[in-house]
């Protein structure tokens, strides 16, 4: 079982408009409502790939109820996606993505999230520890809601490593800085997050710095340029055959799913990168985060270019 942790789950709303212009009213031509938060998006892609996956984190209020209902509705019929979200008093946040149909550009609006009490955080810790007993890998994903300690991911990384469960960390800012010092097996920042962590805008140099800070391996998303990986086994760069227009909101989450699924299958790093880049590119053509175009994914797999550096 692969475990994904989303401490700041969300109800994702995607609005599609013919053209997004400031200071004007817009007629929405399409609305999509999905269970959201990075770890939930990762889990949905993993389940679609056929991996038994369990999600945990927090959900509360009417939006939390909606998230759990939607998660159940979109889960595969084979039961590969399990819900172990912890109910809390505060209401789960909403995120709004506005897609400009003319350009394909997306504008994202993210709420901060509900306040998590010390009691709720302690209860989550107990649930997390139990779930680790059956986990083959764990992904710690996204922002921290108010009330959760800034060092939360560092603590969760240490818990996973103590049980010899491979752990991937995908967050940003101070939670990333503290979490990376706990020595996760993989960190998956994008180029901007990597630059903010290290102060370097050169991805290779920044990834080298991130490894010195504690990460065993760094897999950095480079947008349409693909992915860069620095690992104990070597350094590689992977790129799609060509950039594709679409909604990039869930591309990074699909890449995490690719890395985790390949890790769970014991594949070498070049194959992990191939899968991650193919999924991320196929996710750009999907209508919402947590989904990907399966036909395009299969077409892209043999065409992703992986180069040793």
């Amino acid at each position: 079982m692969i475990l994904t942790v989303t401490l700041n789950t969300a109800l994702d709303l995607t609005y599609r408009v013919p053209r997004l212009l400031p200071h004007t009213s817009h007629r929405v031509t399409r609305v999509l409502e999905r269970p959201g938060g990075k770890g939930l998006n990762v889990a949905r892609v993993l389940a679609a790939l056929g991996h038994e996956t369990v999600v945990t984190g927090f959900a509360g209020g009417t939006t939390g109820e909606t998230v759990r209902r939607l998660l159940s509705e979109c889960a595969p019929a084979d039961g590969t996606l399990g819900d172990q979200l912890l109910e809390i008093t505060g209401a789960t946040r909403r995120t709004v993505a506005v897609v400009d149909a003319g350009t394909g550009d997306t504008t994202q609006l993210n709420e901060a999230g509900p306040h998590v009490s010390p009691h709720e955080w302690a209860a989550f810790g107990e649930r997390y520890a139990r779930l680790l007993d059956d986990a083959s890998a764990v992904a710690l994903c996204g922002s921290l809601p108010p009330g959760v300690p800034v060092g939360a991911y560092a603590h969760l990384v240490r818990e996973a490593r103590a049980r010899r469960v491979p752990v991937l960390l995908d967050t940003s800012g101070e939670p990333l800085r503290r979490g990376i010092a706990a020595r996760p097996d993989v960190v998956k920042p994008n180029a901007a997050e990597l630059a903010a962590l290290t102060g370097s805008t050169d991805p290779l140099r920044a990834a080298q710095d991130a490894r010195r800070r504690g990460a065993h391996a760094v897999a950095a998303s480079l947008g349409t340029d693909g992915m860069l990986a620095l690992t104990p086994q070597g350094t590689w760069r992977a790129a799609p055959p060509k950039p594709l227009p679409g909604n990039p909101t869930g591309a990074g989450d699909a890449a995490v799913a690719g890395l985790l699924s390949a890790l769970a299958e014991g594949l070498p790093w070049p194959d992990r990168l191939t899968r991650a880049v193919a999924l991320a590119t196929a996710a750009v053509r999907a209508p919402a985060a947590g989904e990907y175009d399966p036909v395009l994914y299969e077409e892209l797999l043999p065409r992703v270019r992986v180069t040793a550096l």
Side-chain angles (χ1 to χ4, degrees), residues 144-217:
L144 300 179
V148 171
V150 71
Y153 283 137
H155 169 71
L156 299 180
V157 167
R158 288 190 291 267
E159 287 276 306
R161 288 185 55 78
R163 289 169 170 79
R164 300 183 182 274
V165 179
V167 55
L168 181 150
L169 177 62
D170 182 13
T171 188
S172 60
E174 186 64 12
L176 173 59
R177 189 184 71 80
R178 297 200 186 193
I180 204 172
R183 302 184 62 79
D185 294 272
V186 185
V187 292
K188 206 292 298 171
N190 60 33
E193 291 162 349
L194 197 55
L197 173 70
T198 66
S200 174
T201 57
D202 177 76
L204 181 58
R205 182 174 298 176
Q208 290 168 340
D209 188 354
R211 283 204 69 203
R212 286 192 292 269
R213 290 168 183 257
H216 287 268

Side-chain angles (χ1 to χ4, degrees), residues 15-20 29 98-105:
Y15 294 154
R16 192 173 181 89
V17 298
R19 188 179 181 192
L20 182 62
T29 58
V98 183
V99 180
D100 185 316
T103 64
D105 291 339

Side-chain angles (χ1 to χ4, degrees), residues 7-160:
L7 298 177
N8 211 4
T9 53
L11 175 61
D12 281 352
L13 301 170
T14 301
Y15 294 154
R16 192 173 181 89
V17 298
R19 188 179 181 192
L20 182 62
L21 297 171
H23 315 300
T24 64
S25 297
H26 296 80
R27 183 173 296 279
V28 177
T29 58
R30 189 180 183 189
V31 179
L32 289 174
E33 194 176 53
R34 293 290 188 274
K38 293 179 71 65
L40 266 64
N41 295 336
V42 171
R44 291 173 59 207
V45 175
L46 283 168
L49 290 169
H51 285 269
E52 181 185 358
T53 309
V54 170
V55 300
T56 190
F58 299 111
T62 56
T63 48
E65 292 174 1
T66 302
V67 165
R68 302 184 83 161
R69 173 179 59 79
L70 293 171
L71 186 65
S72 174
E73 290 174 356
C74 69
D78 59 6
T80 50
L81 183 56
D83 174 2
Q84 283 291 325
L85 294 169
L86 183 72
E87 186 174 351
I88 60 173
T89 301
T92 294
R93 67 189 177 126
R94 294 159 297 181
T95 68
V96 179
V98 183
V99 180
D100 185 316
T103 64
D105 291 339
T106 301
T107 300
Q108 192 79 18
L109 306 173
N110 297 332
E111 296 179 1
H115 185 274
V116 176
S117 71
H119 173 74
E120 290 166 339
W121 173 240
F124 170 79
E126 294 174 0
R127 178 167 298 189
Y128 176 72
R130 289 196 302 271
L131 291 169
L132 281 177
D133 290 338
D134 296 319
S136 59
V138 58
L140 309 174
C141 302
S143 62
L144 300 179
V148 171
V150 71
Y153 283 137
H155 169 71
L156 299 180
V157 167
R158 288 190 291 267
E159 287 276 306

Side-chain angles (χ1 to χ4, degrees), residues 223-224 226 239-245 251 254 275-286 292-293 296 300 304:
T224 56
K242 64 178 181 179
L244 295 176
R275 184 176 294 183
V277 170
L279 278 171
T281 306
V284 169
R285 302 302 296 269
Y292 68 96
D293 183 328
L296 179 59
L300 287 168
V304 173

